[in-house]
Amino acid sequence: MPSKKLLNKVSNILNAYLKLSELASNFNSFISINQQQLSELITFIDFAEGFIIGFIEINFSKDLDTLIEALKKHPKCKDIQFELLNFNDPELRFLRDAIIQRLPNINIDPDKKLVLILQGLEKSIGMFGEYPPVLQDLNFVRDSFTKSVPHPILFCLPDYAITRLAKFAPDFWAWKSGIFHFNTVQSTKDDALSKTLQSDKILHELEFTEKQERIDLLQRLLMEYSPSGCHEKEEYLQTQIQILTQLGKVYRSRGEFTIATEYLEKALKLVNKNEDFKNEKATVLYELGAVYALHNQNEQALALIEQSLLIAREAGNRLLEVIILYNLGKAYSLVEQYQQAIESYQQCLAIAREIGTRKIEGITLNDLGGVFTALEQYQQAIEFYQQCLAIAREIGTREIEGITLNDLGGVFAALEQYQQAIEFYQQCLAIVREIGDREFEVITLNDLGGIYADLEQYQQAIECYQQSLKLCKLLDNHQTQAVTLLMIGLLLAYKQGDFTTALTYLQESLAVFQQLTSPVVEKVRQIIADVQQMADAQGNSINSNR
């Protein structure tokens, strides 16, 4: 029987072979669908001398890598030295200067013609807004390129970036000597779709870098299904709507509401072209409503979500209906229309139980608990939280379990049943540490600190706040950091009489509040002045006793 070590070695060899086979297949597919474009590009490169610019329209970096490999391998390019320059800094402003800085670092072969390949500029060009700075400068310094960059340049950009360059840098665009449109390999599109529209990963599970990757892939897919200057094709309309909606959702999750709104409004225009797209229209309206709610435009949010609910019901989409009802309840809660919120949540709960969506049932029960907490009807709140807790434990959703335990802690704290509150917060703390939710850990530690302070157990309160403070600094959570520093300073000064240490925390708190341009700055200054006065009085008292 072969050893485990040998089996692992064979497995690694097979995986490497399969990866090479996949790369070879992609390479061959790309060449076969772009033979004419490749031939024209090589002819352009062959005749290019001195400063001359060409534009390669290619939507995916994966296909660009294949193209560069094909150029370097092509027999007609054996006398060409290709140098790839990556300018993917979103804040890039002066492209010519950036190129000049890179040129001395290139080891130029005197027997070959140097051709510069530029990629990544779409980051600084962007998809929205007027006159990107990088294009303003490119248009302005056009004439100086001939002497400072005396080499052929190939700009590799996706569809939308080329369109924006032509619009916002028209003088530079006028100097183009060739445009080469390369088709995307189907496997590249399929891979992008599997990572975005067909992905099982939901947004709140994604890290920031994963969200950025999803945005990048969605934007490139959009160019495939909606190329600039082309009429919308009916067969692609639904996919375009899905891509635009997903882009709106991702940007909303990152707090970039203006961009989210632009994408969702584009999706809504496309949805309105076909009366059969009822589910899509309900989804887009609901997502727009969610953006407006997070942007504190509550009236618009409610109107959009209510409209989406009517359409979902008309379409008979029960799952979409339950999601919209849940978010309608949230929207009503935000504007403190609690009776309407309760009605929406109760309708949501009935449908969730009917169609068996236990997770939605659980979070709806939790939110109902939140409404009754706001109404100070604590016994009813506890009953809803306990029901939610049972479901969360049954289906294994640790995050919802942690949230509900925290909420129960808050209710028992409001009832001044502090020992029970501490028990719930401690259980919550164990879960958030287990799942690695550090932001939630900060919240729970601060809640515990508040309970210990109410119980006059000031040292334990300070210890909780100190743990929270370390995490705040690690997470760059400046708002909570400032508040936590203030709480520690207040406890040290007013409860433990340690004015010197208190002043250190209070001064640091003031500095952070000032960075945030917080309205409480003057109040903190007054607290510091009062504590300083107490510290001076204490010092004078000690001196007089001597």
Side-chain angles (χ1 to χ4, degrees):
M1 184 176 179
S3 68
K4 188 175 180 182
K5 187 175 181 181
L6 178 60
L7 288 172
N8 286 337
K9 189 173 182 180
V10 171
S11 175
N12 290 335
I13 291 169
L14 284 171
N15 287 335
Y17 172 76
L18 290 171
K19 189 173 182 180
L20 286 170
S21 298
E22 183 185 350
L23 290 171
S25 174
N26 287 341
F27 184 89
N28 293 332
S29 298
F30 181 81
I31 298 302
S32 66
I33 64 172
N34 288 296
Q35 288 182 2
Q36 181 64 31
Q37 293 91 327
L38 184 59
S39 176
E40 290 174 0
L41 177 59
I42 288 171
T43 300
F44 172 83
I45 293 168
D46 188 34
F47 284 97
E49 295 293 341
F51 173 71
I52 187 170
I53 57 175
F55 287 91
I56 296 173
E57 182 187 303
I58 195 161
N59 286 333
F60 288 88
S61 55
K62 186 177 177 181
D63 286 348
L64 177 57
D65 293 340
T66 303
L67 172 61
I68 293 168
E69 184 185 354
L71 289 173
K72 288 179 177 179
K73 286 182 175 179
H74 202 282
K76 289 187 178 180
C77 296
K78 64 181 184 298
D79 295 326
I80 307 294
Q81 179 182 347
F82 293 104
E83 287 293 334
L84 182 64
L85 303 181
N86 199 327
F87 296 105
N88 58 2
D89 178 7
E91 303 302 319
L92 178 68
R93 187 183 182 100
F94 306 110
L95 176 62
R96 186 185 70 95
D97 293 350
I99 295 172
I100 292 170
Q101 286 178 358
R102 303 266 188 101
L103 283 175
N105 299 323
I106 298 173
N107 187 16
I108 300 175
D109 187 336
D111 297 325
K112 291 185 176 183
K113 176 168 64 179
L114 177 64
V115 174
L116 304 177
I117 301 177
L118 274 54
Q119 72 172 131
L121 280 171
E122 62 270 20
K123 299 292 184 184
S124 52
I125 290 172
M127 289 197 76
F128 296 106
E130 296 293 311
Y131 297 103
V134 68
L135 296 186
Q136 286 186 52
D137 182 71
L138 196 62
N139 210 45
F140 181 72
V141 301
R142 182 192 78 161
D143 294 340
S144 60
F145 265 87
T146 52
K147 291 182 180 179
S148 55
V149 190
H151 308 286
I153 301 178
L154 295 173
F155 286 80
C156 302
L157 294 165
D159 174 301
Y160 70 87
I162 287 181
T163 301
R164 282 172 64 77
L165 192 148
K167 179 179 180 181
F168 295 117
D171 294 343
F172 189 85
W173 175 253
W175 274 17
K176 66 186 181 299
S177 297
I179 308 174
F180 309 95
H181 304 269
F182 282 84
N183 299 309
T184 302
V185 177
Q186 186 59 46
S187 62
T188 301
K189 286 191 276 190
D190 292 342
D191 182 56
L193 286 167
S194 72
K195 291 178 179 176
T196 54
L197 302 186
Q198 298 161 7
S199 175
D200 292 331
K201 275 194 170 184
I202 53 179
L203 280 175
H204 81 267
E205 294 176 348
L206 300 178
E207 299 292 336
F208 183 86
T209 53
E210 291 179 300
K211 287 181 182 179
Q212 188 54 53
E213 181 189 6
R214 183 171 286 196
I215 285 171
D216 185 63
L217 288 173
L218 285 167
Q219 287 173 337
R220 293 174 191 278
L221 276 171
L222 190 60
M223 296 304 101
E224 289 295 318
Y225 292 98
S226 180
S228 299
C230 297
H231 295 294
E232 265 86 19
K233 293 183 179 180
E234 189 65 32
E235 65 266 32
Y236 293 153
L237 207 56
Q238 202 163 19
T239 305
Q240 289 177 49
I241 292 164
Q242 289 175 335
I243 293 169
L244 288 164
T245 305
Q246 281 292 316
L247 280 164
K249 288 174 70 173
V250 183
Y251 275 108
R252 170 169 63 83
S253 74
R254 298 198 339 170
E256 299 180 49
F257 303 126
T258 302
I259 299 176
T261 303
E262 288 176 348
Y263 277 118
L264 291 169
E265 286 179 346
K266 282 185 176 182
L268 190 59
K269 285 181 182 178
L270 295 182
V271 160
N272 289 330
K273 290 185 176 184
N274 191 322
E275 292 182 0
D276 293 332
F277 290 162
K278 289 180 180 177
N279 287 329
E280 289 81 359
K281 185 169 186 177
T283 302
V284 173
L285 287 168
Y286 150 68
E287 290 294 341
L288 264 174
V291 172
Y292 281 117
L294 289 169
H295 212 39
N296 295 321
Q297 296 178 341
N298 295 313
E299 287 186 15
Q300 297 95 317
L302 284 168
L304 287 164
I305 296 172
E306 286 171 349
Q307 190 181 348
S308 74
L309 180 61
L310 291 174
I311 296 168
R313 283 174 172 164
E314 185 182 335
N317 189 330
R318 299 290 271 169
L319 179 58
L320 185 57
E321 183 182 356
V322 81
I323 292 169
I324 293 169
L325 279 165
Y326 171 76
N327 283 281
L328 188 60
K330 265 193 165 328
Y332 279 126
S333 295
L334 284 171
V335 294
E336 298 181 3
Q337 295 182 26
Y338 295 123
Q339 194 53 50
Q340 292 95 321
I342 291 168
E343 289 171 9
S344 295
Y345 283 137
Q346 292 285 16
Q347 291 177 56
C348 173
L349 199 57
I351 298 171
R353 285 168 173 166
E354 177 190 327
I355 64 178
T357 54
R358 297 287 276 163
K359 187 171 182 179
I360 294 177
E361 182 184 352
I363 61 174
T364 305
L365 287 164
N366 178 279
D367 281 30
L368 273 166
V371 172
F372 283 103
T373 299
L375 291 170
E376 298 183 2
Q377 297 177 27
Y378 297 123
Q379 195 52 51
Q380 285 177 279
I382 290 169
E383 289 172 10
F384 282 118
Y385 285 139
Q386 293 286 13
Q387 290 179 61
C388 174
L389 193 60
I391 292 172
R393 286 171 173 166
E394 176 193 329
I395 63 177
T397 52
R398 298 290 273 167
E399 183 182 1
I400 295 172
E401 184 181 353
I403 291 168
T404 308
L405 286 165
N406 184 282
D407 290 335
L408 279 165
V411 172
F412 281 101
L415 291 168
E416 297 184 2
Q417 297 179 29
Y418 296 123
Q419 197 52 50
Q420 286 172 283
I422 288 171
E423 288 173 10
F424 282 118
Y425 283 137
Q426 291 286 13
Q427 290 179 60
C428 172
L429 198 58
I431 289 173
V432 297
R433 284 172 173 164
E434 175 194 323
I435 64 178
D437 191 337
R438 289 182 165 180
E439 290 283 2
F440 198 3
E441 186 178 350
V442 166
I443 293 168
T444 309
L445 284 166
N446 279 8
D447 289 336
L448 264 173
I451 295 291
Y452 284 125
D454 287 339
L455 290 170
E456 299 183 5
Q457 298 176 21
Y458 302 122
Q459 191 53 43
Q460 284 175 283
I462 290 170
E463 286 173 9
C464 286
Y465 287 132
Q466 290 281 19
Q467 291 177 59
S468 169
L469 187 59
K470 285 180 183 177
L471 288 173
C472 286
K473 290 179 177 179
L474 189 67
L475 297 166
D476 286 333
N477 185 338
H478 299 300
Q479 183 70 50
T480 309
Q481 180 184 344
V483 172
T484 307
L485 285 162
L486 179 61
M487 292 304 299
I488 295 171
L490 290 171
L491 288 173
L492 287 168
Y494 290 97
K495 301 301 180 182
Q496 295 195 330
D498 186 351
F499 302 119
T500 303
T501 311
L503 284 168
T504 302
Y505 283 100
L506 292 170
Q507 292 286 5
E508 191 177 345
S509 171
L510 177 62
V512 180
F513 275 127
Q514 285 174 324
Q515 288 176 7
L516 298 169
T517 60
S518 171
V520 304
V521 166
E522 288 306 318
K523 180 65 177 175
V524 177
R525 280 203 183 104
Q526 185 58 53
I527 291 170
I528 290 171
D530 292 344
V531 173
Q532 184 65 62
Q533 190 174 10
M534 288 188 288
D536 292 342
Q538 185 185 60
N540 292 335
S541 175
I542 291 169
N543 291 331
S544 64
N545 288 335
R546 288 176 182 171

